[in-house]
Amino acid sequence: MTAESGIEPRGGGEPAEPLFELPPELAIDTAVARRVMVGFIRNQLAQAGFGRTLLGLSGGIDSALVAYLAAEAVGPENLLCVLMPYRTSSSESVADARTVVDRLGCASDLIDISPIVDGYFGSDGRSGAGGPGALEASQLRRGNFMARARMCSLYDRSVTWGGLVVGTGNKTESLIGYSTLFGDSACAFNPIGDLYKSQVRQVAAAVGVPEAIIRKAPSADLWPGQTDEAEAGFTYPELDRLLFWMIDKRRTDEELAAMGFRASAIERVKRLVAVSEFKRQVPPVAKLGPRTTGVDYLYPRRRPGSAR
Amino acid sequence: MQPLRIALAQLAPRLGVLSDNLAAHHRTLAEARSGGADLVVFPELGLTGYQLQDLAAEVAMSADDPRLLGLAAECGGMSAVVSFVEEAADHRLFISAALLEDGEVRFVHRKLFLPTYGLFDERRFFAAGDRLRATDSRLGLRIGLAVCEDFWHLAVPETLALDGAQILINVSSSPGRDLAAIHEVGLGTAASWRNLMRTYAQLTTSFVVFCNRVGMDETISFWGGSEVIAPSGEALFTAPLFDEGLHFVDVELGDVRRERIGLPLLRDERPELHLRELRRILAERTGVAADADGDASGADGAARDATHEAPAGHEAPAGHEAPAGHEAPAGHEAPAGREQP
């Protein structure tokens, strides 16, 4: 197997603007990655006794890639994509999500989460379940609530669909904690959680995710005009490179600085990683009994008798 | 000379489901026999799956377990290497590989090096084996068995070859990782393994047989890519990555002689030099100074304490090697066969 560059759009003709920027050290063998991730989805479902899966499809690249991989793993007829826009969500996002559904030929559902969110925070000056104070809630509170409203809706649909929720978070956002705990990060398993955003783009291009989705600026779409890169203050290629050398390759601060990373960037990213450690781990349980889950009661998640 | 037909059983065991894996081994042995195999090699923990954690004790069996003997019974006129969790009489658990021949468990190798770093946690759940030696086989040659990480330590292939092995067999459950595109096969693990095995085959002028599992345990994907390497270091066969399959490879045993005559590396090995320097190094590590020769009796004595107190051998029930105490508690056996000061 050979590595694909994945940087140039396919087809001949004039040299076009690259689809995305891929730092060379992050380039992976997309054929192997695809094979492993598709096998992982299939295996996780089979071991749990499920044949179907579902995911929240935002119109962004992460969930689009997972949709392509899931459709390949279990067939589009066993995949449900749930679109869960809020009334301020970009209409372009919904259109891009619909393109993915049409291309894959999978089932889809549209759940408008506006009444859930407005029912809590209130709207048009009338307070909701969250009381009068919630009318003034920050964008952050609203964004987190939306992510959790989507999680609730998705897990409810998992019952009627009879499938497991497949996760769509990538390694970059997980490491810097750019996700909502028990919100968008909630899932039964995650095939792309060890891929940096740049690598998500590389694999997405290789499996045929629509170019418009690969090109557009990543956004949590929690408020109009929000983009990840503006919020984080880094471009993804910069951030991915720094995380890769810092975490995967264990470079010290001094070594990172010698490689040309700004001291302020190193400091800031280290802090983001450290303060979000809690988001990447199962909540701790106080050790009291002779055998405690996760401490000295250690079994594989999937073992004889564990399938439903 | 009749070629030796090796069958590589690149299987995907089911984690913790011993009965299913046992059935797969029986089916595979039958298929290998009808394919004319002389030697069938199954992967590390092919009978149990790898990522067992606390399940290890629940799938463990002794080396004379009827289920193992049942597999041996299918090895009439055929040799097979199978791997399982072995529970010793003192209830230590080992990752073991057994040579089955003519209805008997002929030899058991207990994994010597248990990786406990990175994604590995073997030392938490298993005991490390204490003995490294080649064994005679019905194939008319000596075999050196090793399990996965054993091959990441230079002394293992070297010792086995010096002990007369002409075929080094490594059974593995190697998790695939590091997908960087710079690697020859898109998988860092595979690239490293291939380097190791070609080098060992060439330096020991022996055949290297590598059987690595496929399938997934939990989050880990095993990459397969089982191989047979000639004593020249040339890969004779490479199985596909990730796909399950039974692969037959014919090898000319005469290649060992040809290679060793033309390239007498093994003849030129200096085990006595190696041993002398190892004794010196051990003496220095334990704080007992060696003299200029590195051969003083004091240093020697200290080194002997450090090297010779290997816990007892663990000969298989029907073993035909030294009549060593089977399953003696650790550390009571005489240091057999080492030179005395």
Side-chain angles (χ1 to χ4, degrees):
Chain A
M1 271 161 274
T2 55
E4 300 153 54
S5 82
I7 300 178
E8 299 299 326
R10 273 141 302 163
E14 318 240 321
E17 192 193 336
L19 252 185
F20 54 91
E21 183 189 342
L22 177 64
E25 64 269 53
L26 292 177
I28 57 171
D29 187 318
T30 55
V32 173
R34 180 180 189 168
R35 170 104 204 227
V36 170
M37 291 188 287
V38 167
F40 174 77
I41 295 169
R42 214 176 269 145
N43 196 265
Q44 287 288 323
L45 290 170
Q47 287 183 334
F50 285 83
R52 300 175 117 187
T53 185
L54 73 164
L55 58 90
L57 190 71
S58 67
I61 189 169
D62 298 321
S63 57
L65 171 59
V66 174
Y68 271 71
L69 296 172
E72 185 174 338
V74 294
E77 69 280 11
N78 291 311
L79 170 65
L80 172 68
C81 288
V82 187
L83 285 59
M84 296 173 284
Y86 180 66
R87 55 187 164 76
T88 61
S89 295
S90 126
S91 58
E92 188 187 277
S93 298
V94 176
D96 286 337
R98 288 203 188 283
T99 305
V100 169
V101 168
D102 291 345
R103 293 240 191 135
L104 292 176
C106 61
S108 71
D109 253 3
L110 183 92
I111 299 174
D112 178 3
I113 62 166
S114 308
I116 307 173
V117 176
D118 293 348
Y120 180 82
F121 289 108
S123 61
D124 303 323
R126 293 171 46 190
S127 43
L135 277 168
E136 309 305 319
S138 65
Q139 285 184 321
L140 185 69
R141 277 179 67 192
R142 289 172 178 276
N144 282 334
F145 192 93
M146 285 177 210
R148 292 179 180 125
R150 293 189 175 107
M151 178 275 292
C152 285
S153 308
L154 197 54
Y155 270 81
D156 178 60
R157 287 299 280 117
S158 77
V159 178
T160 54
W161 178 249
L164 290 182
V165 174
V166 53
T168 61
N170 64 59
K171 186 172 184 170
T172 311
E173 66 185 23
S174 167
L175 285 174
I176 64 168
Y178 195 60
S179 68
T180 298
L181 191 61
F182 310 121
D184 54 302
S185 62
C187 61
F189 56 89
N190 180 343
I192 67 164
D194 202 19
L195 289 182
Y196 288 108
K197 189 77 170 191
S198 305
Q199 295 168 328
V200 167
R201 289 166 167 162
Q202 192 197 357
V203 181
V207 304
V209 169
E211 277 189 24
I213 293 177
I214 299 174
R215 278 189 194 280
K216 72 180 175 187
S219 168
D221 202 8
L222 295 175
W223 52 84
Q226 181 193 28
T227 67
D228 295 1
E229 290 172 329
E231 236 194 319
F234 299 99
T235 69
Y236 270 114
E238 283 171 341
L239 183 56
D240 289 349
R241 278 192 74 227
L242 180 50
L243 288 168
F244 176 75
W245 288 108
M246 180 184 287
I247 287 166
D248 293 84
K249 296 296 182 184
R250 302 173 194 263
R251 293 296 191 271
T252 64
D253 293 0
E254 293 70 28
E255 289 165 335
L256 292 168
M259 292 173 69
F261 291 107
R262 280 172 291 128
S264 59
I266 297 168
E267 194 49 47
R268 170 125 186 279
V269 168
K270 267 179 66 175
R271 188 175 146 67
L272 287 171
V273 171
V275 300
S276 60
E277 208 60 70
F278 74 96
K279 289 191 183 183
R280 294 184 290 274
Q281 298 186 19
V282 175
V285 172
K287 173 76 180 160
L288 295 169
R291 270 185 109 186
T292 309
T293 55
V295 179
D296 42 20
Y297 173 87
L298 299 173
Y299 277 90
R301 264 174 92 95
R302 294 298 169 194
R303 57 183 170 115
S306 68
R308 66 163 180 170
Chain B
M1 192 189 267
Q2 185 83 359
L4 178 80
R5 179 161 293 182
I6 298 169
L8 298 168
Q10 186 167 294
L11 302 186
R14 291 190 59 197
L15 184 59
V17 194
L18 199 76
S19 54
D20 283 17
N21 298 326
L22 201 58
H25 277 55
H26 278 285
R27 276 196 308 275
T28 306
L29 281 174
E31 196 183 331
R33 173 182 296 286
S34 56
D38 299 301
L39 168 65
V40 194
V41 184
F42 292 89
E44 176 186 16
L45 294 179
L47 285 168
T48 62
Y50 176 75
Q51 193 77 320
L52 292 161
Q53 298 181 296
D54 285 348
L55 276 178
E58 296 170 31
V59 297
M61 49 187 170
S62 69
D64 58 358
D65 188 282
R67 288 166 292 188
L68 214 50
L69 293 170
L71 286 172
E74 308 227 339
C75 298
M78 192 166 75
S79 305
V81 177
V82 302
S83 175
F84 59 104
V85 175
E86 182 193 358
E87 181 166 347
D90 60 5
H91 307 300
R92 285 182 298 166
L93 304 180
F94 296 94
I95 298 175
S96 290
L99 176 66
L100 312 180
E101 290 187 332
D102 294 330
E104 294 178 352
V105 179
R106 280 280 160 81
F107 182 80
V108 175
H109 170 77
R110 292 169 170 173
K111 189 173 189 176
L112 299 167
F113 294 94
L114 301 175
T116 305
Y117 57 80
L119 77 168
F120 303 106
D121 204 12
E122 292 183 14
R123 199 67 179 88
R124 177 182 172 90
F125 302 101
F126 296 103
D130 309 300
R131 203 178 64 168
L132 175 61
R133 57 186 62 175
T135 184
D136 287 327
S137 80
R138 56 167 287 282
L139 301 168
L141 47 79
R142 275 171 79 73
I143 287 178
L145 289 185
V147 179
C148 203
E149 186 85 357
D150 290 345
F151 254 35
W152 286 74
H153 295 269
L154 280 170
V156 172
E158 183 194 20
T159 306
L160 290 172
L162 286 169
D163 201 22
Q166 292 137 295
I167 294 192
L168 309 180
I169 299 175
N170 182 289
V171 300
S172 282
S173 284
S174 169
R177 53 206 187 278
D178 188 4
L179 265 53
I182 51 167
H183 300 302
E184 176 199 346
V185 287
L187 201 58
T189 337
S192 309
W193 267 102
R194 289 180 185 189
N195 283 336
L196 290 185
M197 291 188 292
R198 281 153 186 69
T199 306
Y200 291 163
Q202 172 74 98
L203 295 184
T204 63
T205 46
S206 305
F207 283 102
V208 169
V209 176
F210 172 67
C211 184
N212 185 29
R213 65 164 286 189
V214 290
M216 303 193 85
D217 283 355
E218 305 286 278
T219 60
I220 299 172
S221 299
F222 300 91
W223 55 277
S226 301
E227 292 199 310
V228 175
I229 322 280
S232 63
E234 178 203 354
L236 299 175
F237 173 79
T238 302
L241 299 190
F242 301 114
D243 285 326
E244 210 170 5
L246 179 65
H247 303 281
F248 294 90
V249 189
D250 288 348
V251 304
E252 294 290 341
L253 291 179
D255 285 352
V256 174
R257 180 173 190 273
R258 259 189 297 281
E259 192 69 24
R260 290 182 182 184
I261 296 288
L263 190 68
L265 301 178
L266 210 52
R267 179 196 71 189
D268 297 345
E269 285 291 330
R270 300 283 306 277
E272 77 297 340
L273 169 71
H274 195 182
L275 186 60
R276 194 161 64 237
E277 297 304 333
L278 283 175
R279 284 183 172 154
R280 175 186 58 76
I281 292 164
L282 278 170
E284 287 168 7
R285 279 194 180 185
T286 51
V288 180
D291 69 9
D293 275 349
D295 215 353
S297 58
D300 206 41
R304 194 172 58 249
D305 285 347
T307 57
H308 285 210
E309 64 167 353
H314 52 94
E315 200 54 47
H320 60 172
E321 298 221 347
H326 174 52
E327 306 296 14
H332 292 297
E333 202 183 22
R338 300 292 188 113
E339 62 182 277
Q340 298 300 311

